[in-house]
Amino acid sequence: MYDVVALGELLIDFSTSLTDADGYPTMVAHPGGAPGNFLATLSAYGKKTAFLGKVGEDAFGRLLADTIKKAGIETKGISMDSRYFTTLAFVTLDGNGERTFSFARKPGADTQLSWEEVNRTLIDEAKIFHFGTLSLTDEPIRTATQKAIAYAKAQGKLITCDPNLRKPLWKSEQEAAEQILWSLSQADIVKISDDEVDFLWRCSPEEGAEKLLLEHGVSLAMVTLGPKGCYLKTAHANIHIPGPSVHPVDTTGAGDIFGGSALSRFLELDKPICHLTEEDLAYIGRFAVTAASLSTEKPGGIPSIPEKKQVLKEMKSL
Ligand code: ATP
């Protein structure tokens, strides 16, 4: 039995290392894609996970499948397709480690996963089905995601969603908003950032969490606030958790590492969401905020996931 199966994108993030005299960056390749970072975090914290997705049958695709496997994630749900190239994302950073994205993805292999190719046995064997919104930007992966969610829901699986905006990947902002709002209404647990709340509703993180519960039927809303930590809310409890003091160099994957860490703690509590108390939300949020913040001190997504014992040590100071 798997704790979590996730469907979505797998890609290579090229981040800036140095700039030459003409301003051209020297790029360093890191494994990327939100669901991979998310599952790798769960796996690092002792949970059993599996991936559903597609890469190109090329050097980068093989590298990604290998990285996912080394992260302890089941890879039999990853197909390799020789007709498409693995998606490449170029991430440029400003002085505070904040990112701008450009994508070479026309179409990237990850978007070409069809419902027929989705390994349903992995969904059957998982407690939780997770998805992000970047698998809704293009067909056929959009239909594959929609059908996989319906399939998982029909079996009573818990559904978790981490919306991701990345404006250059959508045809329009309106399409992005429509798809993200649809995704939120499918999920029991949502991890969303304050920037995404602002994009969708132009409201505060607290009002955004309230909307998730009342208008989208979400049971646990987790709003991340960048360096300011997070805000968690259920129908019966809510809590603000500040972030620890860190020295960020690269925030890539911090949100995914927050989501994976939070879900690992939720699984450890082994309680229905409606029974979570304020103490339970603190148990989830303090660990997740600490893990995500520590990850910003190292470059990349998966390589920056901190060890559990380091997280437990650092969170004592919160
Ligand atoms: P992503 O861009 O990966 O999708 P996100 O926008 O979903 O991330 P954020 O709110 O930026 O999520 O950050 C998630 C968590 O990462 C925060 O709750 C915090 O713990 C940590 N974090 C992010 N940025 C910083 C920062 N500059 N300094 C310290 N911690 C940070």
Side-chain angles (χ1 to χ4, degrees), residues 270-294:
D270 198 22
K271 281 187 179 183
I273 298 170
C274 59
H275 291 171
L276 295 179
T277 62
E278 194 180 309
E279 289 70 36
D280 294 330
L281 295 185
Y283 178 83
I284 294 170
R286 286 177 65 231
F287 183 84
V289 147
T290 309
S293 295
L294 288 173

Side-chain angles (χ1 to χ4, degrees), residues 97-219:
E98 292 300 329
R99 300 155 298 154
T100 309
F101 288 87
S102 319
F103 290 90
R105 192 200 204 207
K106 298 276 183 205
D110 62 330
T111 65
Q112 298 307 302
L113 180 79
S114 68
W115 168 238
E116 289 67 35
E117 292 171 303
V118 171
N119 183 332
R120 285 163 227 184
T121 313
L122 291 175
I123 303 179
D124 298 341
E125 293 174 356
K127 289 184 206 158
I128 296 178
F129 177 84
H130 175 82
F131 71 108
T133 47
L134 295 190
S135 59
L136 294 164
T137 58
D138 294 88
E139 289 291 3
I141 195 175
R142 180 188 287 187
T143 301
T145 306
Q146 291 165 343
K147 291 198 169 170
I149 295 167
Y151 183 82
K153 285 176 88 134
Q155 294 186 47
K157 308 283 178 188
L158 201 74
I159 310 289
T160 67
C161 173
D162 180 350
N164 238 317
L165 188 49
R166 305 284 182 275
K167 285 182 191 167
L169 287 178
W170 300 93
K171 286 174 200 75
S172 65
E173 287 197 13
Q174 188 190 340
E175 185 197 43
E178 281 167 11
Q179 290 297 325
I180 293 174
L181 290 171
W182 177 83
S183 302
L184 301 176
S185 64
Q186 301 300 308
D188 302 294
I189 300 179
V190 166
K191 182 248 134 210
I192 191 167
S193 72
D194 49 357
D195 289 344
E196 286 147 359
V197 165
D198 185 62
F199 167 76
L200 290 171
W201 301 302
R202 301 262 172 268
C203 70
S204 69
E206 295 78 12
E207 288 164 337
E210 181 91 355
K211 276 182 183 289
L212 284 168
L213 266 58
L214 298 182
E215 294 173 21
H216 294 274
V218 169
S219 302

